[in-house]
Structure formats: C-alpha cells, structure tokens
Amino acid sequence: MRPSATLTAVLDLLEYQGKELFARHGVPVPRGKHAKTIEEALAAADEIGYPCVVKAQVQIGGRGKAGGIKVAESREETEEHSRAILGMQITGPHGEGPFEVHELWVEEASEIDAEYYASIILDRSEKKPLAMLSVMGGMNVEEIADKDPSALVRRHIDPQSGLSAGEAEQLATDAGVDEDVRGKTAEMLVKLYGAFNELDATLIEVNPLVVTANREVVALDSKTTIDNSALYRHEDVAAFEDLSAMDPQERMAKEKGLTYVKLDGDIGILANGAGLCMSTLDVVAQAGGDPANFLDAGGGSKADAIVAALEVITSDPKVKAILFNIFGGITRCDEIAKGIIEASGRIDIGVPVIVRLDGTNSEEGLALLAEADLPDLHLEKTMLGAADRVVEAAGS
Ligand code: GDP
Ligand code: MN
C-alpha cells in the first residue's frame, strides 16, 4: 500500500489537458488539437499541416515505446495511425493498466535537437516543491538517476519566494544545458513553477522538454497531477475530470460526497476523522493486514452516511473484511450503530465486519448492536484488538 503520509487523492491529467493548462500559464507547447474519432483526427491534421504527430491520450507514460505515438507525413498516414492507436491497449512501464485509448492529440511535429527532462514535485518530507532538471531526457527519471545520478540536478523551491529567474538559470547551468538555450530553459522552469503553484499541482513533469532545430525550448509532453482538495478553486481543471475513467469506488464515493481513497489491499476501513483513519491504516498494516481504502466518515456521521460508506466499501470485490473504528466525539456511537444496522437491512454486506466503538454514547451503540445480533458482526473493545481480529477475518 501507499504509505499513509502520501495519502492524497489527486487528479491525473491527460497530456493534452496538461498542455492546455501550460499554454494558459505561458509555457510554450506545440500547436495541437484534440480528437476522439478518425474524422476529427483528419480534420485536426489538415488544419495543423504535415508532418504531424498522432498521440494516444492515456494517463501513463511509455506511450512512445508502446506504439501510441506516431509521426504522420500525410493525410493517409494520419488515418492509418489514428486507426491503429484508437482502441489500442497501453500498459504502463510499471505494469499499470492496461488503458484503452479513447482520445487522441494531434500536434504539429517538432524537429528535435535535444531532449531534456524537467519536473516539479511536491517533496513532502521537506515540505517544499522540488525542481529537477536533466539534459538526459526521453528516458524516465528513474533511468536517468540510475545511469548517472549527477545528470539529474535537484533544487528545492522556497514556497514563500518562489523560483527566481537567477535560481532557474543556475539550475540550467548546473544541469549542463546548452549555453544558447539556458535563458529559455530557465524561463520555462519559472513558468512551470508558476503553473505548479497556481494550479495546486503535486506534480508537473515535462519529458521531454525539447530544444527544437530553431533552438526554441518547448514542452513536448506533460504529466500533470492536481491535488483533488484544491479542485473547488480550479473550475477549468475540474472540468477535465472524467468520471467515466475514474475508479468505480472512487466515483461512487465522490457522488455520495464521501472522503475516500482506494488502496490495493483487502480490508475495508471506515473511521471518523482523518487522523483516526490514518492511524487505523497504520495499525491494520502493523497487524499484518492490507487496507483496501481510506474512508473518513467525518465528524457527526449520521446513519445515512454509514449506509453510503458501506455501499462503497462493499462494492469493491477485493474487500474480504471490514473494520469500523469509531471514536465518538461529536459523532455519536449510537448513530453509527443505527447506520450499521440499517445498512445490513438494505445491502448484503457479505463479509465479516469488526466494530470498535468508543466515546460518546458508545454504551448505547454497543447495546443496539448486541440487540440486533447481526450475522458476522464482531465487537472489539480496543483498536489493536479490532485490527488483529479484522486481519484474521480477512485471512491475509
Ligand atoms: P511518452 O512515451 O508517453 O512519454 O510520450 P512522449 O510525448 O514523451 O513522446 C515520446 C517520444 O516520442 C519523445 O521522447 C520523442 O522522441 C517522440 N516524439 C513525440 N513528439 C514528437 C514530435 O513532434 N517530433 C518528433 N520527431 N518526435 C516526437
Ligand atoms: Mn514523455
């Protein structure tokens, strides 16, 4: 599972969406058009001119190697490539996916002199953005770091003062960027940081950042990730969110207004409050289990919220057991108990449920659950005891 410290729901944008945002923030990108059908791709190519590049739009890298990026010299070739790429299944370099290609980005072909790598990530351990630059672009950052760690120049950015032109220039110099394009590369980094900051991004990766034959510096690719919690203040970004491409549980949770993050284990987790939810994940992991999700039912959870939460958790076929860890403050444990009882009447939970209730009205809650005598529901007094029990119930 992902360590709980990096537990953040994010929106991964497609290349063309990232490039549209880049353009709005002054980052130079090749001219291009979005297409969903072969006809749209042909119209786009005719408008852009030849040669053009037909690019598969999926949320993973390595498209080039997978055959998802092709240069077309003519209308005929555009048709041939679009036909081949639309509907193609692409698997990521780390086995992600496969993702089926439903969308294309057709853009003017660039004459490439050099391929660089640039990224800005949120470095949580330093609580600062981190800019990285290398003249060894085209391959992924792990490969660069592997081949020659000194070829990857890293610099933290002070969030108060941002990235100055001078600092960016120094980065470009340290990375060994060709002297004639140092200024343009530095300018690009400053603009990328501006976009990162204004968009509440957690990652912006441009690989490759190219130097064209005319010695222009252009973003040829974009991998942009936005913090979901900030989407409310970025309407233009939220509009990119494709609910149909979302994980089914995450989509369901979003529709129900729940704070939910899918993980890859088999133990469904529900707790109230982000802090308790995080520690529940840790305790379950410590007990040898693998959490299937993070679900914060929030303070003051009412029965309806519990029913909705259980619907989301049980719709994940991987879930083999569920842990309810509730510490009642504003939340009343009797309300939680009523929610569990109501949910078990409305949906088939189908897996063992371990419940730990403590705090406000816990006695009333426990009494209600004891009286309801639900099948395969087990009460535990402590968080550790409940964690051990749920791991045992999941048989993992
Ligand atoms: P990725 O494989 O998913 O990372 O997709 P990229 O957008 O990074 O493209 C992969 C590679 O295709 C780049 O590193 C380039 O070498 C090549 N490529 C992409 N666009 C163009 C283009 O306009 N002209 C040329 N000559 N090559 C391109
Ligand atoms: Mn790339």
Side-chain angles (χ1 to χ4, degrees), residues 15 55 60-64 69 115 138-139 205-208 220-223:
E15 174 196 6
K55 305 184 84 174
I60 36 158
R63 295 164 301 160
I69 293 173
E115 298 198 357
M139 57 183 119
E205 184 181 67
V206 181
N207 189 19
L220 208 69
D221 193 7
S222 158
K223 187 169 191 284

Side-chain angles (χ1 to χ4, degrees), residues 310-311 313-315 322 342-351 353 375:
L310 269 169
E311 278 171 348
I313 294 175
T314 56
S315 73
I322 299 170
E342 195 173 323
S344 70
R346 279 206 239 162
I347 57 174
D348 176 20
I349 297 177
V351 294
V353 179

